[in-house]
Amino acid sequence: MYVASEEAAVYEGTDEWPETYWYYTCSTGDTSTWAQAGYYFNALMQESTNGAVQIGVYAADQLTNGSQTDGIQALMDGATIQVSMHSNLIYANFDTRFNVVSLPYLFEDYDAVDAAMAGDGGEALKEVLAEYGLVCEGIGENGFRQITNSVKPITSVSDLSDIKMRICSNDLCEEVYKEWGCDATVMNWSETYTALQQGTVDGEENPETAIDSASVQDVQSYISLWNAYYDCLFFCINQSAYDQFTDEQKAVIDENAAKAVAYQIAINRDNVEALVAEWSESGVMEVTTYDEIDTDSFKEACSGAEDWYIQQLVSNGMTEDEAAAYIDSFKAE
């Protein structure tokens, strides 16, 4: 459990904090950066409220039997879960607008990600979350999703033709993997390790920290750092739970939540560098770097993904011009 090393927000109001226990959930395990954000938020809130507000961290979506979509639905309902950190890919099961972040090769690097999330793109996502009764306190980071498997190094799109790949429940992912010519199977993350171990699927794709927190490297032989698409995390609080507090108290919650999100991003990026170095040196997985990958082959094969996504947005009420402008708000100028 993380112990706060940064000062918590100072409460300057006069109203007493109500005794509150919030349930926090995330998809990955209790050693993951997602869970660490929850532990940090809890430590900061306890310090700010003299222990009146506590956040219990329940990792791996254990409150919803491992179901990520049920975890988000429970957050929206607010009765059993009040705070969570979940991926935009899973939120997209509720609204296709969340898929925009994960269009293939939308972001060149982390600088482009940071600019989009701090700008119009991030604000647009927060507005959509508000429509679902959620206060988005910040956009965290799962990262660029790297591909692992137990068959061979993946260096070009043709290498995917005989790989059985686990992907999360997301229609954009399904479409992109179809364009890449890959046999992709939707599977809950909580079931993936066993499926990889037993050979039900050959591979999966996730950012390095998620791979490590689930010990996927123990049942996979190869990882390719292809940076094909990105995955962000929404640190959200149920609106009704949030609204029980005064404006002065909400300001404390906002500040502490922002610190928790910034902490999660920082340790996530530090961990990515350390993990790649560790895997390369130990040989637990053969690492194929970005420079060794025929990126153009993947880009060309999925060149229809953006047009496909625009039609998804149109079918959900946008005009084509509005859909194109929405996507453009995430692109570097």
Side-chain angles (χ1 to χ4, degrees):
M1 181 179 296
Y2 181 76
V3 178
S5 59
E6 186 177 354
E7 288 187 4
V10 176
Y11 176 53
E12 297 179 348
T14 57
D15 293 297
E16 291 291 324
W17 286 90
E19 294 287 335
T20 304
Y21 187 90
W22 277 348
Y23 290 84
Y24 172 101
T25 189
C26 61
S27 301
T28 50
D30 58 10
T31 63
S32 69
T33 63
W34 310 24
Q36 292 299 308
Y39 293 134
Y40 192 9
F41 183 50
N42 176 49
L44 292 172
M45 285 305 301
Q46 289 206 47
E47 186 176 342
S48 293
T49 67
N50 203 21
V53 177
Q54 300 182 38
I55 291 87
V57 177
Y58 297 84
D61 284 305
Q62 60 186 279
L63 297 177
T64 52
N65 297 314
S67 172
Q68 299 171 84
T69 52
D70 287 349
I72 293 173
Q73 184 62 64
L75 174 71
M76 292 176 181
D77 295 340
T80 56
I81 295 172
Q82 293 77 41
V83 194
S84 88
M85 185 168 262
H86 278 100
S87 164
N88 67 286
L89 288 173
I90 309 304
Y91 269 95
N93 287 286
F94 297 89
D95 194 312
T96 194
R97 286 176 289 181
F98 294 117
N99 260 337
V100 64
V101 176
S102 297
L103 281 168
Y105 298 103
L106 179 66
F107 302 118
E108 182 176 351
D109 52 29
Y110 285 121
D111 288 341
V113 169
D114 292 343
M117 297 310 168
D120 292 342
E123 287 306 309
L125 291 170
K126 291 176 182 179
E127 290 174 6
V128 179
L129 288 162
E131 294 176 18
Y132 288 88
L134 301 178
V135 179
C136 181
E137 294 283 13
I139 300 176
E141 180 166 278
N142 199 14
F144 287 102
R145 299 177 72 91
Q146 315 298 8
I147 189 166
T148 72
N149 78 101
S150 58
V151 179
K152 60 185 175 182
I154 302 297
T155 62
S156 69
V157 71
S158 61
D159 291 326
L160 290 177
S161 62
D162 57 350
I163 300 291
K164 293 180 294 183
M165 184 65 54
R166 173 270 173 188
I167 61 172
C168 64
S169 175
N170 180 277
D171 57 357
L172 175 62
C173 288
E174 292 182 51
E175 173 62 23
V176 172
Y177 273 92
K178 186 188 301 179
E179 293 187 14
W180 282 333
C182 181
D183 180 10
T185 300
V186 171
M187 184 180 295
N188 272 333
W189 183 233
S190 59
E191 302 168 359
T192 301
Y193 185 92
T194 299
L196 293 169
Q197 190 176 43
Q198 296 177 347
T200 307
V201 292
D202 299 318
E204 58 79 51
E205 38 80 81
N206 257 295
E208 293 91 338
T209 53
I211 289 168
D212 179 65
S213 70
S215 299
V216 169
Q217 66 271 20
D218 294 342
V219 290
Q220 297 278 262
S221 302
Y222 307 95
I223 181 168
S224 293
L225 307 180
W226 62 347
N227 291 358
Y229 61 105
Y230 181 80
D231 190 357
C232 73
L233 306 173
F234 299 129
F235 189 104
C236 288
I237 300 175
N238 175 274
Q239 183 76 58
S240 296
Y242 180 77
D243 284 343
Q244 70 175 299
F245 296 99
T246 66
D247 288 345
E248 292 82 2
Q249 290 168 342
K250 287 178 181 177
V252 170
I253 295 170
D254 295 345
E255 182 177 339
N256 286 338
K259 289 178 178 178
V261 172
Y263 171 72
Q264 187 274 328
I265 292 173
I267 60 173
N268 200 73
R269 292 186 183 179
D270 285 346
N271 288 352
V272 165
E273 290 186 15
L275 286 169
V276 171
E278 177 188 327
W279 294 335
S280 297
E281 292 168 8
S282 69
V284 65
M285 288 191 292
E286 181 179 322
V287 177
T288 300
T289 66
Y290 183 83
D291 292 339
E292 297 174 302
I293 295 172
D294 180 7
T295 302
D296 287 342
S297 71
F298 290 101
K299 289 182 177 180
E300 290 168 8
C302 68
S303 60
E306 184 168 318
D307 287 339
W308 177 90
Y309 180 57
I310 285 175
Q311 293 310 309
Q312 294 295 104
L313 293 172
V314 168
S315 68
N316 283 273
M318 286 187 178
T319 66
E320 288 198 6
D321 286 345
E322 289 171 338
Y326 178 67
I327 295 170
D328 286 345
S329 69
F330 292 86
K331 295 180 179 179
E333 296 182 356

